[in-house]
Amino acid sequence: MSVLVYTESEQGSFKKVAFEVASYAKAVADQLGTSVTAVTINVDDTSELGNYGVDNVLKISNDALQSFNAKGYAEVIKQAAEKEAAKVVIVSSSADSKYLAPLLAVGLNAGYASNVIEAPTNTAPFTVKRTAFTNKAFETSQINTDIKIVGVSNNSFGLVEHSSSASAEDFSPTIAELGVKVESIDKATDKVTIADADIVVSGGRGLKGPENWGLVEELASVLGAATACSKPVSDLGWRPHSEHVGQTGKPVASNLYIAIGISGAIQHLAGINASKVKVVINTDPEAPFFKAADYGVVGDAFEVIPQLTEKLKAFKAQQ
Amino acid sequence: MKILVCISHVPDTTSKINFSENDTKFDTNGVQFVINPNDEFGLTRAMWFKEKQGANVTVVNVGSPDTEPTLRKALAIGADAAIRVNAEATDGFSVAKHLAKVIEDGGYDLVIAGRESIDYNGGMVPGMVAGLTGANFVNNCIGLEIDGTAAKAIREIDGGKETVSTSLPLVIGGQKGLVEESDLRIPNMRGIMMARQKPLTVADAIDIAAETTSVKFEKPAPKGAVKLVSAENLDELVDLLHNEAKVI
Ligand SMILES: Cc1cc2nc3c(=O)[nH]c(=O)nc-3n(C[C@H](O)[C@H](O)[C@H](O)COP(=O)(O)OP(=O)(O)OC[C@H]3O[C@@H](n4cnc5c(N)ncnc54)[C@H](O)[C@@H]3O)c2cc1C
Ligand SMILES: Nc1ncnc2c1ncn2[C@@H]1O[C@H](COP(=O)(O)O)[C@@H](O)[C@H]1O
C-alpha cells in the first residue's frame, strides 16, 4: 500500500529530480498515512534516499536496462508497483519520466496527471494542481482510477529533508522484449543540461550571430549554468535545436533564467515562465520581456555581458 | 505504408487564455485554432513519406465538429483522408482509447503524434496509444526514416540526441526537428480546392470512462513590476540576485 516513487539516476548516481520526487512522495505518504518505497535502476548505493523520506528501496540491477528504455523501465516499475500494491506512483517531469509514464499508466490501468506542481489538495477524490496551456494557466484535476500516477513538475515542490534511513532490498523483475534499441548517443557530457540546471543563460536574435555566443557561454560558465536560445536562433542554425526553449522547444523551470537579446514573444515566455526569477538584458526598454521579468537591464548585450561576467567572477571569488 | 497522423486542434500560440462557466471551461471566444505545432512537424514528415515512399496518409482528430476546419487544413496540406472521432476530448486516456480503435480498424503501420499538445500539455496520448496497441514507441522524435518494416529514429535527450532502431508498427511523439521550420507548408489554393473532394469520415464515439477529470482552471497571479538596474551599476544586479532573490 506504500507510495511508490521512481527515483532516476544517471551512471549510478541519483539525479536531482530523484530527491524532489522522493520529497513529494513523502508528502503524499504522510497524507495517506503510509510509507514511501523507491524503485531504483542500476544504483549501488541508495542510502541517500533516506534523507528525503524514503523508507524502503527496491533495487533493480539489470544490464539490459543500462541505457534508458521507456518500455523496459515502465515494465519494471509496473512490477514494483504490483509487488508493493501501490495505489499512488510518483514520477518526475524529466524527458525520460514523461516518456515512460503513459506506458506505465496503460500497464497499471492507472490515471496519470502530468506537470503537477503541488502536493495533492485532497486524496479522496485524489485532486492535484497542474500547469496547462504552457504555463498560461493552472488546472485542478481529479484522478478517478484506483491507481494514480503523478508526474511532478521539476523544481516545483523542492527538496524536503528528513533524517531517516532507507532500507534496501534487491528486486529482480522480468523484462520482456524492449522494442527500441539505442544505436548511438551524441551528447556533450561536460555541459550542464537545461533540464538539470539551476540557472539558465539564454540568448536571442539580439546577439547578432553565432560568433558572439562566447559571451553567453562565459557568463554561463561563471554561474555553472546551462545555455539556451530562442527559436529563431536555432532555426537560423546559430545554436543546436536542443538549446531551443519555449512553447515549442524545451520547457525551462530553473531558479534563475537570464534572457539576453530576447524580445519576450508570448511563445518564448510560455515555455520559460515556470522559472522562479527572470532577468532580462535588452537594448529596447519596450521589449515585452520587461513585463515578464523580475530584474531588467536596459542596455547593449555586448557591453553588459562582459561587465556582468567580470562582476560575477569577483563575487564568486569572494564566496 | 499506411500512416496515421494524430492532429490536436489547439488555440493559436498567441491566444489569450480565459475560462468560462465558473472557470471550468476554456473560453473559445475570439480564439483562433490551429494544428498543434508538434503535429504540424509530424504531418510535414508524413508528406515526405507520401512523396518519396508512396505512403498513404490519414489524419485523425478526436473532437467535436468544430475541429473539422483544422482537419480540412491538414487535407489541404496534402493528407489523403481524414477521420474525426465524434467524442469530446475529455482526458488523454479516452483520446488514446479512441485513437487505438481507429488504428486497429484501419491497420496503420506508423502513427505520428506530437510530443505534447500545447493546450492540455498532457504529453500522454502517443505513449498511451503505443501501450494500448502494443506498437513500439519513440518519444521526442526529431528524425525518422523507414525502410520496409525497419525504422531508424533520432530522439532528443537531455543535452543531446540519440539514434535508435526499432520496427513497425510504430508510434512516435514528434517535435520540431522532425522537419525544419522552413519545410512547413502553407496550404495553397489548389490544395484547398482538392481538400474539398477528399473524404472526411466521422466515426462514432465509444463508451469510455475518463480516468481524469478537469475540475477548475485558474490563471497565475499577475506579476509585480520589473526592477530596473542601470547598465552602469551591475554590482547592484549581483547584489539583488544574491541578497534579495537568493538565486546565486
Ligand atoms: C507556432 C510558433 C511557436 C513558437 N515557439 C517559440 C518557442 O518555443 N520559443 C521561442 O523562443 N520562440 C518561439 N516562437 C517565435 C516567437 O514568436 C518569436 O519570434 C521569437 O521568440 C523571437 O526571438 P528573439 O527574441 O530571439 O528575436 P527578436 O524578436 O528578433 O528579438 C531580438 C531582441 O533583441 C534585442 N536586441 C537587439 N540588439 C541587442 C543588443 N545589442 N543587446 C541587447 N538586446 C538586443 C531587441 O531589442 C529585441 O528585443 C514561436 C512562434 C510561433 C508562430
Ligand atoms: N483530441 C485529439 N485528437 C487527435 N490527436 C490528439 C488529440 N489530443 C492529443 N492528440 C495527439 O497526441 C499528442 C500529444 O497530446 P497530449 O497528450 O494531449 O499532450 C498531440 O500532439 C496529438 O498528436
Side-chain angles (χ1 to χ4, degrees):
Chain A
M1 269 298 288
S2 60
V3 171
L4 188 81
V5 56
Y6 165 49
T7 44
E8 284 166 65
S9 56
E10 189 161 25
Q11 276 153 9
S13 319
F14 288 113
K15 295 191 194 169
K16 194 180 128 201
V17 288
F19 303 130
E20 185 169 24
V21 288
S23 306
Y24 187 96
K26 170 68 176 162
V28 180
D30 285 348
Q31 286 178 317
L32 295 170
T34 181
S35 58
V36 178
T37 301
V39 46
T40 65
I41 298 174
N42 296 331
V43 184
D44 289 332
D45 180 4
T46 59
S47 57
E48 244 178 313
L49 292 175
N51 302 340
Y52 300 94
V54 172
D55 300 291
N56 185 33
V57 182
L58 296 178
K59 281 173 68 165
I60 299 169
S61 308
N62 192 315
D63 282 343
L65 301 177
Q66 223 36 282
S67 54
F68 177 78
N69 178 284
K71 192 173 173 189
Y73 277 43
E75 183 56 44
V76 298
I77 298 168
K78 171 179 176 251
Q79 290 172 46
E82 284 165 351
K83 175 177 152 61
E84 292 293 308
K87 295 290 180 207
V88 182
V89 179
I90 312 292
V91 298
S92 81
S93 288
S94 71
D96 288 355
S97 278
K98 282 197 157 174
Y99 189 177
L100 70 82
L103 298 171
L104 182 63
V106 170
L108 287 171
N109 286 317
Y112 164 46
S114 57
N115 305 330
V116 171
I117 52 167
E118 311 178 334
T121 45
N122 195 349
T123 54
F126 199 91
T127 312
V128 290
K129 189 167 163 182
R130 61 186 296 278
T131 56
F133 296 95
T134 330
N135 295 314
K136 291 187 218 168
F138 301 113
E139 179 193 37
T140 302
S141 184
Q142 270 176 22
I143 311 181
N144 310 323
T145 43
D146 183 35
I147 304 177
K148 290 118 185 131
I149 301 177
V150 179
V152 182
S153 267
N154 294 355
N155 220 355
S156 62
F157 189 76
L159 302 181
V160 183
E161 298 206 20
H162 294 267
S163 50
S164 53
S165 61
S167 61
E169 63 183 284
D170 289 326
F171 179 55
S172 308
T174 53
I175 303 172
E177 221 201 318
L178 296 177
V180 176
K181 182 165 166 271
V182 176
E183 299 288 346
S184 64
I185 296 183
D186 174 6
K187 177 172 167 168
T189 46
D190 54 334
K191 287 193 73 180
V192 188
T193 64
I194 294 169
D196 290 337
D198 287 327
I199 304 180
V200 174
V201 179
S202 189
R205 203 147 49 177
L207 283 163
K208 312 279 191 276
E211 66 281 6
N212 298 323
W213 242 262
L215 289 175
V216 176
E217 284 184 329
E218 207 187 333
L219 175 59
S221 104
V222 173
L223 290 167
T227 52
C229 68
S230 69
K231 178 164 173 286
V233 165
S234 74
D235 288 343
L236 289 163
W238 296 358
R239 300 297 291 175
H241 282 310
S242 56
E243 285 198 4
H244 158 209
V245 297
Q247 189 162 26
T248 52
K250 277 208 169 69
V252 182
S254 55
N255 281 329
L256 173 60
Y257 183 78
I258 304 182
I260 308 161
I262 300 178
S263 58
I266 189 163
Q267 299 96 346
H268 184 87
L269 295 177
I272 61 96
N273 248 337
S275 294
K276 299 223 162 66
V277 175
K278 282 147 270 183
V279 175
V280 53
I281 299 165
N282 197 305
T283 40
D284 176 8
E286 301 297 320
F289 216 122
F290 284 100
K291 292 208 171 61
D294 301 277
Y295 303 102
V297 180
V298 179
D300 187 334
F302 299 102
E303 286 160 24
V304 174
I305 301 307
Q307 285 186 45
L308 183 60
T309 305
E310 284 316 309
K311 306 249 184 232
L312 283 165
K313 265 190 196 150
F315 165 79
K316 291 276 174 188
Q318 274 174 24
Q319 291 293 295
Chain B
M1 177 167 55
K2 284 185 77 177
I3 303 179
L4 184 71
V5 183
C6 304
I7 304 277
S8 174
H9 158 96
V10 300
D12 169 37
T13 52
T14 56
S15 304
K16 293 264 181 299
I17 304 297
N18 289 303
F19 301 100
S20 62
E21 296 178 39
N22 250 332
D23 289 335
T24 57
K25 289 259 161 7
F26 174 62
D27 184 357
T28 56
N29 244 321
V31 172
Q32 278 268 19
F33 281 85
V34 295
I35 300 176
N36 185 42
N38 291 320
D39 303 343
E40 206 179 343
F41 292 111
L43 177 62
T44 310
R45 188 64 191 163
M47 289 302 104
W48 187 92
F49 287 121
K50 176 179 152 106
E51 284 152 20
K52 301 277 196 280
Q53 301 187 347
N56 180 284
V57 178
T58 301
V59 290
V60 62
N61 172 265
V62 179
S64 67
D66 298 347
T67 70
E68 288 190 5
T70 300
L71 285 174
R72 286 275 174 220
K73 184 177 170 199
L75 290 172
I77 289 172
D80 300 297
I83 301 170
R84 179 175 67 80
V85 181
N86 190 27
E88 207 192 325
T90 45
D91 79 327
F93 176 75
S94 62
V95 169
K97 272 276 202 189
H98 279 115
L99 292 173
K101 170 109 191 350
V102 170
I103 292 159
E104 270 146 30
D105 291 349
Y108 296 95
D109 310 293
L110 172 64
V111 177
I112 300 181
R115 168 194 77 180
E116 74 171 14
S117 57
I118 61 165
D119 54 352
Y120 187 70
N121 304 129
M124 55 178 75
V125 169
M128 285 181 170
V129 166
L132 290 166
T133 60
N136 290 318
F137 176 42
V138 175
N139 205 12
N140 301 100
C141 188
I142 54 170
L144 180 65
E145 270 158 40
I146 309 278
D147 182 6
T149 60
K152 201 178 100 186
I154 302 173
R155 54 177 231 100
E156 191 170 280
I157 55 174
D158 287 343
K161 53 191 176 187
E162 81 185 7
T163 306
V164 299
S165 59
T166 183
S167 59
L168 302 180
L170 172 68
V171 178
I172 66 157
Q175 62 186 53
K176 192 184 93 165
L178 207 46
V179 298
E180 290 303 319
E181 183 77 19
S182 51
D183 296 330
L184 294 178
R185 302 176 186 192
I186 299 162
N188 58 23
M189 211 49 213
R190 187 162 165 269
I192 294 167
M193 297 301 284
M194 279 170 67
R196 294 200 188 133
Q197 316 299 323
K198 293 179 181 171
L200 193 165
T201 319
V202 178
D204 288 336
I206 44 180
D207 193 20
I208 301 156
E211 291 190 335
T212 59
T213 329
S214 182
V215 183
K216 188 166 89 57
F217 292 99
E218 65 197 279
K219 291 206 275 183
K223 198 158 172 52
V226 60
K227 240 183 218 178
L228 288 181
V229 176
S230 152
E232 268 70 64
N233 192 9
L234 294 171
D235 284 318
E236 190 190 344
L237 181 61
V238 175
D239 181 65
L240 286 168
L241 292 177
H242 180 59
N243 290 313
E244 188 176 84
K246 300 192 173 21
V247 287
I248 59 169

